Amino acid sequence: AAGARWTQSVDRIELRVLRKPRGVAAADCDVVVRGDYFKAAHRATGDVWLEGQLARRVVASQSLWWVVADEASSEPSAQTAAADASAASSSFGGRPEEDAGALRVVLYKAPTTLLRAGVHDAHWTRLFDADDDLEADDMDHDRTDLDPDLRRRLKLRDLKASQDAALELAKREQCEADGLAWTWVGDAEHRRREGDDTFIEPSYNVPGQLGYDTAIADRDLVLREAGKLAGA
């Protein structure tokens, strides 16, 4: 979103409205949060600082906002009645004096079935519908508020996925070293299971296809060199 800087954890979005002038007090801010809509504007002039249809739903009744206090001013920061100043951490970096007068918002995500859908389903790839999607590498995935047992299982899942990727790369390099011209082919089993008729994989990953039987000499060595061996 061009008018905001935002971060997220499993259960909430934290954002700073960039276009709000520093001198505008909380009493002059008009902040609207609905299930799939957000707006921040000047109450008197109607000047809109940030507005849009949210990419996913939030729990409006739990969401909160406040204006960061300016230590040089006698005016305290204001926030909604439901707000707890300690509920939101400072996630945007910078010096405190640079944040003075900023409009900060915490949007609590609508509940997601993490165990069934996976934790990545709880992460937003964009703030507003009109925004471009962010790639996974462009986002920090903060899981500190996730259930410890689920966090452990997800960590193991991520480790396995990274190990599989390292072994696949090693197998590709071995095929090429052996002069096997692997190709992209359809995986019938995957297509049947996932209902995706367009899915393709390298032939060395599909039973019965070219390169599938290529042996990797030392699995542990491959993972150790890739930094993916558990305990290494």
Side-chain angles (χ1 to χ4, degrees):
R5 292 178 61 192
W6 63 287
T7 63
Q8 64 180 309
S9 63
V10 173
D11 70 348
R12 66 181 177 267
I13 300 286
E14 298 180 23
L15 66 91
R16 173 178 172 174
V17 179
L18 298 178
R19 292 172 180 163
K20 173 200 168 293
R22 178 171 177 167
V24 177
D28 295 320
C29 296
D30 180 25
V31 179
V32 179
V33 181
R34 293 199 287 268
D36 59 355
Y37 173 80
F38 177 83
K39 177 183 176 182
H42 194 291
R43 189 178 300 279
T45 67
D47 185 23
V48 176
W49 305 315
L50 186 67
E51 182 181 23
Q53 291 294 128
L54 295 168
R56 302 177 71 167
R57 295 190 65 81
V58 299
V59 182
S61 61
Q62 295 180 9
S63 299
L64 55 103
W65 64 272
W66 70 100
V67 171
V68 179
D70 187 341
E71 293 182 357
S73 170
S74 60
E75 181 186 16
S77 61
Q79 55 192 43
T80 59
D84 176 0
S86 64
S89 60
S90 179
S91 304
F92 303 100
R95 296 188 297 274
E97 61 269 24
E98 293 175 340
D99 205 34
L103 176 57
R104 300 287 294 273
V105 183
V106 177
L107 304 173
Y108 280 89
K109 301 174 182 178
T112 304
T113 308
L114 296 176
L115 279 172
R116 184 178 64 189
V119 70
H120 291 296
D121 188 62
H123 275 75
W124 294 21
T125 57
R126 53 188 171 178
L127 183 60
F128 293 117
D129 264 346
D131 296 338
D132 293 329
D133 279 337
L134 295 171
E135 298 295 334
D137 291 344
D138 294 331
M139 295 184 290
D140 291 328
H141 296 274
D142 181 357
R143 299 177 178 175
T144 54
D145 55 351
L146 193 63
D147 174 77
D149 183 60
L150 180 55
R151 188 163 62 241
R152 178 186 62 81
R153 280 183 278 169
L154 290 167
K155 184 176 180 180
L156 291 174
R157 186 193 68 181
D158 288 348
L159 175 61
K160 183 180 185 305
S162 64
Q163 288 179 336
D164 289 345
L167 292 171
E168 178 180 337
L169 178 59
K171 194 164 189 178
R172 176 178 301 188
E173 291 174 345
Q174 187 61 52
C175 282
E176 293 173 348
D178 293 343
L180 296 175
W182 61 272
T183 59
W184 294 97
V185 298
D187 185 341
E189 176 59 25
H190 180 98
R191 291 181 173 185
R192 182 194 64 77
R193 185 175 64 250
E194 303 294 334
D196 181 3
D197 291 335
T198 64
F199 183 81
I200 59 174
E201 277 201 284
S203 57
Y204 50 77
N205 280 349
V206 183
Q209 298 293 328
L210 186 63
Y212 182 73
D213 296 326
T214 299
I216 299 174
D218 190 332
R219 176 184 181 277
D220 286 353
L221 178 60
V222 168
L223 295 178
R224 184 175 291 107
E225 289 179 344
K228 307 297 184 182
L229 186 63

